[in-house]
Amino acid sequence: MKMLKTALLLLALTFNAAASAESMNRSAEIDKIYEQDQKTRTLFKRGDVYDRPTELKSDAANRMRLFEMMADDLPWTARDFALVSRVFQHTNTGAESEENENWRSQENHLLGFFLSRKAARLGKLEEAGSMVSRIERYLKARGIPRDYGLELVSRTPFKACVINPQITDEQRLDAGLPLRLNEIMKEFCH
């Protein structure tokens, strides 16, 4: 019995050390994002010359990375992620009618994308279509051409890919889509 308790203690310490290392890496990345954000805010306050379109893209990309980290670190089930994705998808700001996509918070579409992607990673493969539709709604609301987005290639086997792989992630960023879709969809497009 004493040996079992010792083994369980060692296992708990090992798990705690691994979780701590992961937490330290995440914290370091959050610190870096925060420092970038504060550097931008300092430029605003001092009235320095800066490239505003580049800063806007950087700000959006940083928020998207934080959303992704948040979704990756939550101890939820695939079903939970799928349901929360739908909730974010239907967030109404109250400013416009439902017929107009502009009333939706665009970043909620992207958060919904990450939540659907997490649900798919956890085995809820029917969320593949949700990943695609979340990106489509974002593109529509922003007036970005659909070929900058995703398509569901097949449900069985599950495969979702960028519509036009010739469009680079930098071109997507320049168009206003703060996601590196070519990069982050590799795991689903093989």
Side-chain angles (χ1 to χ4, degrees):
M1 186 64 156
K2 186 175 180 177
M3 197 146 130
L4 178 60
K5 285 181 182 180
T6 303
L8 288 175
L9 177 62
L10 288 174
L11 182 62
L13 290 173
T14 302
F15 176 76
N16 192 20
S20 180
E22 183 179 324
S23 180
M24 288 174 54
N25 290 340
R26 181 177 52 250
S27 293
E29 186 174 357
I30 290 170
D31 286 347
K32 183 179 176 185
I33 290 171
Y34 177 77
E35 288 170 16
Q36 289 172 343
D37 180 75
Q38 291 305 296
K39 180 181 176 188
T40 300
R41 305 291 84 72
T42 302
L43 294 174
F44 297 161
K45 290 175 186 170
R46 289 194 324 226
D48 288 354
V49 176
Y50 57 91
D51 184 355
R52 184 64 179 146
T54 299
E55 295 302 330
L56 287 172
K57 285 190 284 187
S58 175
D59 285 351
N62 284 339
R63 285 191 303 274
M64 289 307 104
R65 178 62 186 133
L66 291 172
F67 282 158
E68 182 178 26
M69 288 167 59
M70 185 177 73
D72 282 346
D73 291 336
L74 295 173
W76 294 356
T77 66
R79 182 178 181 279
D80 294 335
F81 283 111
L83 295 176
V84 172
S85 173
R86 289 189 184 98
V87 170
F88 276 108
Q89 180 69 14
H90 299 121
T91 301
N92 187 335
T93 62
E96 296 180 55
S97 70
E98 289 191 18
E99 290 79 39
N100 188 342
E101 284 292 313
N102 288 327
W103 61 265
R104 299 181 193 273
S105 171
Q106 277 92 40
E107 286 187 344
N108 283 342
H109 294 303
L110 299 179
L111 179 55
F113 162 79
F114 285 116
L115 294 168
S116 292
R117 185 179 76 159
K118 185 66 174 183
R121 281 178 172 166
L122 292 174
K124 196 161 179 62
L125 298 181
E126 61 270 22
E127 285 302 302
S130 295
M131 285 192 311
V132 172
S133 70
R134 303 301 181 259
I135 296 298
E136 283 178 355
R137 286 180 180 246
Y138 180 86
L139 295 175
K140 182 178 178 184
R142 292 292 313 264
I144 301 170
R146 185 178 180 279
D147 63 337
Y148 278 66
L150 300 173
E151 65 181 332
L152 181 60
V153 177
S154 71
R155 290 192 185 276
T156 312
F158 170 65
K159 186 174 183 179
C161 302
V162 294
I163 292 173
N164 184 346
Q166 277 64 48
I167 297 174
T168 67
D169 286 334
E170 287 302 317
Q171 289 170 314
R172 283 185 176 81
L173 290 168
D174 288 341
L177 178 63
L179 297 178
R180 297 188 172 282
L181 285 182
N182 286 328
E183 181 181 322
I184 65 178
M185 291 306 292
K186 284 179 183 174
E187 70 184 280
F188 296 109
C189 186
H190 47 319

